[in-house]
Amino acid sequence: MSTPDALAFRFFSLHVVRTRPLGPSLVRVTFAGDDLAHFHSDGRDQSLSLFIPAEGRAEPGVPIEEGENWYAAWREQPDDVRAVMRSYTLRSLRREPDEIDIDFVLHGVEPGAAVPAGPASRWAAKAKAGDKVVLIGPAVADNRAIRFRPPEGTDLVLMWADETALPALLASLETLPAGMPVRAWVEVTDAGDIQDVETAADAEVTWLVQDGSCAEGSPMALGAIKEAELPPAEQPYVWLAGESGCMKEMRRHFVGERGVDRRQVTFVGYWRRGLSEEQLREQPED
């Protein structure tokens, strides 16, 4: 989401309330602010655009005052002023008080990491109460930045996520009706990142611990999925989210080998190996 829709999306100026580690590689940051009174979402895999301050600055440089021209003005700002924009998933929304949670992956922040952390991970690792951010989020509960949409008549939900899409998977599971059959596979890089699953659905979640060397098709997950014995279903729905290359073979498997109608497969590339988010935004969609 690069520009806010005049009706469905708006800017929110927020600050950090608290942080909580969820595992060796994950931290939850809770945000608050008066603007959240206007924040509405049906949850699931709700996407947000988060702006954090440029290195050395206390506030994110986002020219909100430019109105519809904010994006061009933001791009023209000097590098040491322009806020860093990254896409994240809403993990939860609460009222009284108004708060939202966003979960961050912290790979690369440890000393000597083979691949250095990106700016958002570095920011989240050091975030403290009072730190300021801006985000583009939903002002309408049911909006186009929600992709997890099992159609009416779905009798089996199949899901795959890596750590970047874990908040989206967990939040989506929480919305499913009681008894809905679900089979999900989640890839994490450390067993300490495995989380409790809360859902009324009949969900079987398989956690796969790997070293993060995801190649196209994600061999560990794809192997587990191919070997899985799935419940019988007439209208299965598939949701895949995470590294773009990892989803291709899975999508082919579900459509070509499992016979799932390709129109009932939702796939969301959260990142692509070897590309920054800025570069990914410039890539054509698959």
Side-chain angles (χ1 to χ4, degrees):
M1 174 171 42
S2 58
T3 58
D5 182 282
L7 296 177
F9 301 94
R10 55 163 287 172
F11 286 101
F12 296 86
S13 296
L14 307 177
H15 62 271
V16 174
V17 177
R18 58 187 173 273
T19 66
R20 179 168 70 90
L22 302 175
S25 310
L26 302 168
V27 64
R28 175 164 297 164
V29 181
T30 299
F31 299 91
D34 293 342
D35 284 355
L36 284 181
H38 307 288
F39 187 104
H40 300 283
S41 175
D42 282 342
R44 291 174 278 171
D45 58 349
Q46 175 74 65
S47 177
L48 311 167
S49 289
L50 177 71
F51 297 85
I52 61 174
E55 195 75 31
R57 292 192 171 265
E59 297 189 19
V62 185
I64 299 173
E65 68 280 357
E66 295 291 335
E68 293 183 359
N69 298 319
W70 75 268
Y71 186 75
W74 171 76
R75 290 289 300 267
E76 293 172 359
Q77 288 179 321
D79 290 346
D80 60 349
V81 173
R82 184 175 60 249
V84 175
M85 178 169 62
R86 290 292 183 266
S87 299
Y88 278 93
T89 302
L90 172 70
R91 181 60 185 89
S92 57
L93 164 66
R94 292 180 296 280
R95 300 298 186 190
E96 299 182 357
D98 294 336
E99 295 181 342
I100 63 170
D101 294 331
I102 299 177
D103 295 351
F104 293 78
V105 178
L106 299 182
H107 296 317
V109 299
E110 63 278 3
V115 179
S121 291
R122 294 196 301 269
W123 177 88
K126 299 178 180 179
K128 61 185 184 303
D131 287 353
K132 296 180 179 181
V133 302
V134 169
L135 63 81
I136 297 173
V140 176
D142 187 4
N143 57 78
R144 61 182 170 82
I146 294 174
R147 301 289 302 280
F148 180 81
R149 296 180 180 273
E152 185 175 353
T154 294
D155 52 2
L156 174 64
V157 175
L158 303 168
M159 310 175 76
W160 170 81
D162 64 16
E163 280 179 317
T164 65
L166 175 56
L169 181 141
L170 294 175
S172 297
L173 282 173
E174 292 171 359
T175 68
L176 290 174
M180 171 67 76
V182 180
R183 298 297 180 267
W185 296 264
V186 186
E187 296 189 42
V188 295
T189 57
D190 192 300
D193 293 324
I194 294 174
Q195 298 184 37
D196 293 335
V197 176
E198 297 183 7
T199 181
D202 177 15
E204 180 182 301
V205 179
T206 301
W207 296 87
L208 304 168
V209 180
Q210 63 160 358
D211 64 4
S213 58
C214 174
E216 183 171 326
S218 188
M220 177 181 286
L222 184 59
I225 290 171
K226 285 187 172 182
E227 293 174 1
E229 185 173 338
L230 303 180
E234 294 185 1
Q235 298 186 55
Y237 171 76
V238 177
W239 178 89
L240 310 169
E243 202 279 326
S244 296
C246 292
M247 295 186 294
K248 294 179 181 178
E249 290 297 329
M250 293 184 205
R251 199 169 98 203
R252 293 189 188 107
H253 168 71
F254 281 117
V255 174
E257 299 178 36
R258 297 281 190 176
V260 177
D261 185 335
R262 66 177 59 251
R263 294 171 297 181
Q264 307 307 318
V265 179
T266 298
F267 51 97
V268 189
Y270 279 35
W271 62 290
R272 183 171 295 172
R273 185 165 299 281
L275 296 180
S276 67
E277 182 158 336
E278 289 83 2
Q279 293 169 324
L280 182 58
R281 288 175 183 272
E282 297 173 359
Q283 295 287 311
E285 292 189 8
D286 293 335

